[in-house]
Amino acid sequence: TLLSLAMPNLVKAREDSRRQACIANLKRIQGAKEQWALATNARPTARPRSRELYGAGRYILTRPRCPSGGAYWIGDISSPPQCT
């Protein structure tokens, strides 16, 4: 039936959407890390804490949530953030 043909496309579209949202979150986190590093004169090995990046008056208002239920790892300034 038509539904059985459309389901794989719907699943793929949902996965693509989640992946794109995750990439956008990682870019936001990286930008917040860079702004934090400039504001605090941090070294490349410095590692900001989530409370220094997220929240009112911080670089990102609300903590990003992984659309697939994973967790974000901020890491140090010289490393890109990652998602499980």
Side-chain angles (χ1 to χ4, degrees):
T1 67
L2 187 58
L3 183 60
S4 65
L5 295 173
M7 281 305 287
N9 290 334
L10 291 174
V11 170
K12 183 180 181 325
R14 185 176 7 174
E15 289 172 3
D16 288 346
S17 177
R18 286 178 180 166
R19 183 174 54 256
Q20 291 302 319
C22 186
I23 290 170
N25 284 340
L26 291 169
K27 287 179 181 180
R28 289 178 56 214
I29 294 167
Q30 181 62 31
K33 283 172 48 174
E34 291 170 1
Q35 290 177 345
W36 174 84
L38 288 171
T40 61
N41 226 8
R43 309 183 106 199
T45 56
R47 186 175 183 183
R49 297 177 184 194
S50 57
R51 68 174 182 231
E52 295 171 305
L53 300 182
Y54 314 134
R58 302 291 179 204
Y59 304 99
I60 299 176
L61 184 59
T62 58
R63 179 190 297 251
R65 302 270 186 236
C66 176
S68 295
Y72 292 115
W73 179 74
I74 297 171
D76 63 23
I77 299 304
S78 63
S79 302
Q82 298 178 10
C83 180
T84 60

